[in-house]
Amino acid sequence: MALVTEKTVKKLYDHPLHHDHEAENILIKETDKVVNGSEAVILSLLEEGVDTIFGYPGGAIMPIYDALYHYQKQLNHVLVRHEQGATHAAEGYAQMAKKPGVCFATSGPGATNLITGIADAMLDSVPIVCITGQVAEPYLGTDAFQETDVMSLAMPITKWCYQVANPDEIPYIIAKAFYIARTGRPGPVLIDITKDAQMKNMSDPFTYEKRKQIKGYKPARAPRERDIAEAIKLLNAAERPFLFAGHGILLSEAQEELKAFVEKASIPVASTLLGLSAFPSEHPLYVGMLGMHGNYGPNVLTNQADVIIAVGMRFDDRVTGNLERYAKQAKVIHIDIDHAEISKNVPATVGIIADAKAALIELTSQVEERKHEAWLNEFAKCHEEEYQKVIQNDFTAEGECIKMGEVVRMLSEKTNGEGVIVADVGQHQMASARYSTFNKTDSWLTSGGLGTMGYALPSALGAKMGAPHRDVYAIIGDGCFQMTIQELGTIAQSGQPVKIIVMNNNYLGMVRQWQELFFDNRYSSVELVNPDFITIARGFGINGHQCNHADDLSASLDTLINSEQSYLLEVMVEKETNVFPMVPSGAGVDQIRLE
């Protein structure tokens, strides 16, 4: 495959077919001149089907941005206001577009500002490719201006990272990076490219070959027959089976396979925080969310199930609580594409190392049709108890202050549960998880493993760009909003219609809740004196308004939903409210508190 010079590119831009496949072939075959490392980066990204990049330029990556200048019609670069915003936007894009998100940053502080988002992507298995500039190779290790050992920083929080000092390596390394990011258990990768490698010409004409395999790296796909057979024996004998749906269902796009399996075997389904929207909220077999602030029944009845089948989840501590009290009576079938997760926290009776879709197809073909009406009725009883003690109190009654649950419930009703909800971290996150209705899959994004405040605003932009046909709603607390508030500028400049709801209680709500419950009401450094968010948003060119009264909430949400541009709705919610149910730290899931 040949390479393109600046002159050729400008000529082809005027070609009437420059957007179609034939024109792309012309672009490739027109010349065989050698290009420099920077242009090799851009051409490699195009070969991988990249159309959007989130980034922030600087000295050490400036040659790549110079090359990008000549490809503006093929690649859309989104100029973020902080590099952390680039990683979160790439995460949102990746999850909605179903391909790796890409971000650029310069050396030193540019690279270190990516670290939080990279760690977030690693814990939540989100495929992103980060490309950073680095000082020229002769200056490595000299403490040169804006030099940072980004490889050492990135190694524990990436699937793979590599430093390029030779431009000839660039196509191969980028192909390898994309393959690693998207296969097996997805995750972030980082490529650090020295400035001289960006500027030097390659030795030979540019060629690019997508990776189909890498020696020594064999991501699991198909389950072993003997593991499926052992799982089927347990499932066919189970009286109280219980399925946990994790993020892996969404990553493998196994939503329909999950539905077919549980409907055949009549197995109740509960979701992890990141597994929300993998299974329809209103399906009769759906019993709610697992975890610290999940639903009462799924937590309590975990310790009564005789067979647990965990699909694409890792038994995080927020799901299990005290492991000494967790599901000791159950046989556990654990399906995960990452062999390291099997029996890591909870011993697996049967471990199936496979892609979730492939495993569910095999299980469905062999499992017996069953009915578990008495077992399902136990969940219904628990739900009724939770409704009486918790749920009905989470919605705003006449004359009350606006409650978070009411905002989420009303938004779901008005959007028919079809909008994409991007939640930040804290009480509003739990309210959003508990009271959003998901009638459409791939409708929930949040920061799970790392719990990153500031995630939602840039991620919502990425989500909208990854799925332009979907309506995207960012639900953010007043504390989280100020972590990445500058990305309002990115949203405004992009022209993307992102709908933003800020739930303002003038507190770091979740920390305040813990201080109330476990630290004798000693509120230490949790009260916020907030700025005028609406004025700030208008300063960035985004309209909005504040809702103070419950009577105005419905009309306020209508204004937000019907806006053709980005819009900020600030809802003043109840100041000191607590999220229940709650599994206290150190307690077992069967010790969940309803009040």
Side-chain angles (χ1 to χ4, degrees):
M1 190 179 298
L3 215 287
V4 190
T5 64
E6 177 181 340
K7 180 178 179 181
T8 307
V9 172
K10 289 181 178 178
K11 176 183 175 182
L12 289 173
Y13 279 169
D14 297 329
H15 195 286
L17 297 175
H18 78 269
H19 279 306
D20 66 18
H21 187 68
E22 181 181 350
E24 289 176 359
N25 287 337
I26 295 171
L27 187 72
I28 290 167
K29 296 175 182 177
E30 184 84 13
T31 178
D32 60 358
K33 289 186 177 180
V34 172
V35 295
N36 65 16
S38 294
E39 194 165 6
V41 170
I42 302 304
L43 292 169
S44 296
L45 295 178
L46 289 172
E47 288 295 318
E48 287 291 344
V50 174
D51 53 23
T52 303
I53 300 166
F54 304 92
Y56 203 96
I61 199 170
M62 207 173 293
I64 291 177
Y65 272 87
D66 185 58
L68 179 63
Y69 176 85
H70 304 294
Y71 291 86
Q72 295 178 65
K73 291 196 175 183
Q74 293 104 316
L75 285 167
N76 178 27
H77 180 272
V78 180
L79 178 62
V80 297
R81 299 309 189 260
H82 188 283
E83 291 88 353
Q84 181 182 343
T87 52
H88 293 324
E91 287 185 276
Y93 177 90
Q95 292 185 83
M96 296 307 298
K98 300 299 181 184
K99 62 181 182 179
V102 178
C103 57
F104 285 174
T106 194
S107 63
T112 60
N113 283 343
L114 296 178
I115 295 299
T116 296
I118 293 172
D120 190 272
M122 185 69 174
L123 281 168
D124 288 351
S125 303
V126 180
I128 63 173
V129 176
C130 304
I131 296 177
T132 56
Q134 183 55 276
V135 300
E137 185 181 21
Y139 295 100
L140 291 174
T142 68
D143 295 327
F145 178 66
Q146 290 193 332
E147 181 196 2
T148 300
D149 184 3
V150 68
M151 300 304 292
S152 295
L153 293 172
M155 192 172 297
I157 55 168
T158 55
K159 241 186 123 176
W160 182 69
C161 59
Y162 189 88
Q163 186 174 77
V164 175
N166 180 348
D168 293 336
E169 289 188 307
I170 287 172
Y172 170 77
I173 292 301
I174 289 180
K176 186 174 180 179
F178 273 85
Y179 181 74
I180 291 173
R182 68 174 176 256
T183 56
R185 179 178 180 171
V189 298
L190 183 140
I191 306 170
D192 192 44
I193 309 177
T194 63
K195 192 170 184 178
D196 51 335
Q198 298 172 43
M199 299 176 72
K200 290 177 183 176
N201 282 349
M202 298 178 67
S203 301
D204 298 304
F206 175 86
T207 59
Y208 195 85
E209 182 180 353
K210 284 190 178 182
R211 304 302 300 170
K212 296 182 180 178
Q213 61 181 8
I214 295 174
K215 187 176 180 180
Y217 173 63
K218 297 180 180 179
R221 295 290 301 179
R224 295 189 306 182
E225 290 183 10
R226 69 185 186 195
D227 294 334
I228 294 294
E230 289 179 23
I232 288 295
K233 288 179 185 178
L234 294 177
L235 288 167
N236 288 342
E239 296 298 326
R240 297 182 303 281
F242 194 7
L243 187 141
F244 299 166
H247 192 202
I249 298 289
L250 294 159
L251 293 173
S252 66
E253 299 183 61
Q255 297 93 320
E256 291 303 315
E257 288 75 13
L258 171 64
K259 188 176 177 183
F261 171 68
V262 297
E263 285 180 345
K264 183 177 181 182
S266 186
I267 300 175
V269 177
S271 172
T272 65
L273 178 66
L274 291 183
L276 291 171
S277 83
F279 196 75
S281 302
E282 311 238 322
H283 194 284
L285 289 173
Y286 185 68
V287 296
M289 184 175 73
L290 298 159
M292 180 175 281
H293 291 289
N295 294 104
Y296 182 62
N299 280 291
V300 168
L301 296 178
T302 289
N303 280 8
Q304 295 183 31
D306 58 359
V307 174
I308 290 173
I309 177 166
V311 187
M313 56 88 71
R314 58 189 178 89
F315 288 108
D316 175 77
D317 62 288
R318 289 296 173 107
V319 165
T320 66
N322 186 345
L323 284 168
E324 296 300 317
R325 298 179 59 94
Y326 187 77
K328 295 300 181 182
Q329 79 296 333
K331 304 290 187 184
V332 176
I333 302 166
H334 193 177
I335 301 171
D336 203 285
I337 202 164
D338 184 355
H339 67 87
E341 292 299 341
I342 306 296
S343 296
K344 184 177 80 176
N345 294 324
V346 174
T349 311
V350 178
I352 301 176
I353 304 167
D355 175 79
K357 178 182 284 193
L360 287 170
I361 288 171
E362 291 298 319
L363 290 172
T364 304
S365 69
Q366 299 182 44
V367 74
E368 295 176 357
E369 290 190 30
R370 300 282 301 279
K371 297 293 182 184
H372 299 287
E373 293 177 0
W375 175 229
L376 286 165
N377 192 46
E378 292 298 311
F379 288 94
K381 290 177 183 176
C382 287
H383 174 75
E384 181 59 29
E385 185 175 357
E386 182 181 351
Y387 184 84
Q388 294 298 327
K389 293 183 178 180
V390 177
I391 295 173
Q392 66 177 355
N393 298 321
D394 279 347
F395 302 138
T396 307
E398 187 175 351
E400 288 185 336
C401 295
I402 303 172
K403 296 185 177 182
M404 293 182 184
E406 182 67 17
V407 179
V408 176
R409 180 176 72 166
M410 193 176 289
L411 177 67
S412 270
E413 289 174 350
K414 288 178 177 291
T415 58
N416 195 33
E418 294 184 351
V420 177
I421 305 298
V422 185
D424 222 294
V425 173
Q427 289 184 318
H428 64 279
Q429 176 191 35
M430 294 299 107
S432 300
R434 287 175 54 78
Y435 298 122
S436 292
T437 299
F438 299 109
N439 291 327
K440 198 167 186 176
T441 191
D442 290 311
S443 295
W444 170 258
L445 303 180
T446 195
S447 172
L450 198 63
T452 306
M453 292 178 67
Y455 164 89
L457 190 62
S459 182
L461 171 61
K464 180 62 181 176
M465 297 187 76
H469 59 289
R470 301 288 302 275
D471 292 324
V472 177
Y473 299 90
I475 300 181
I476 311 174
D478 49 322
C480 291
F481 191 44
Q482 293 175 83
M483 290 278 186
T484 53
I485 194 171
Q486 68 277 358
E487 300 308 331
L488 287 172
T490 309
I491 291 171
Q493 186 169 343
S494 74
Q496 297 292 328
V498 176
K499 313 299 176 63
I500 306 157
I501 299 174
V502 174
M503 296 199 194
N504 187 351
N505 59 7
N506 294 110
Y507 272 116
L508 300 175
M510 191 61 84
V511 181
R512 185 214 56 77
Q513 175 172 336
W514 278 61
Q515 289 177 348
E516 175 188 336
L517 297 177
F518 307 115
F519 293 88
D520 298 325
N521 290 289
R522 292 189 294 275
Y523 290 178
S524 178
S525 302
V526 288
E527 189 166 8
L528 292 167
V529 178
N530 290 319
D532 184 336
F533 292 133
I534 303 303
T535 298
I536 290 173
R538 287 175 180 160
F540 280 109
I542 295 174
N543 285 327
H545 76 275
Q546 186 182 85
C547 176
N548 290 282
H549 303 290
D551 292 345
D552 299 327
L553 180 60
S554 179
S556 292
L557 286 171
D558 287 339
T559 301
L560 173 85
I561 292 166
N562 295 328
S563 175
E564 294 183 0
Q565 289 84 38
S566 291
Y567 197 89
L568 173 63
L569 172 61
E570 180 186 10
V571 183
M572 304 305 293
V573 295
E574 194 173 43
K575 278 182 69 72
E576 296 185 52
T577 188
N578 292 329
V579 179
F580 287 105
M582 179 181 185
V583 179
S585 180
V589 290
D590 57 342
Q591 296 173 311
I592 189 169
R593 291 175 52 175
L594 287 172
E595 53 191 9

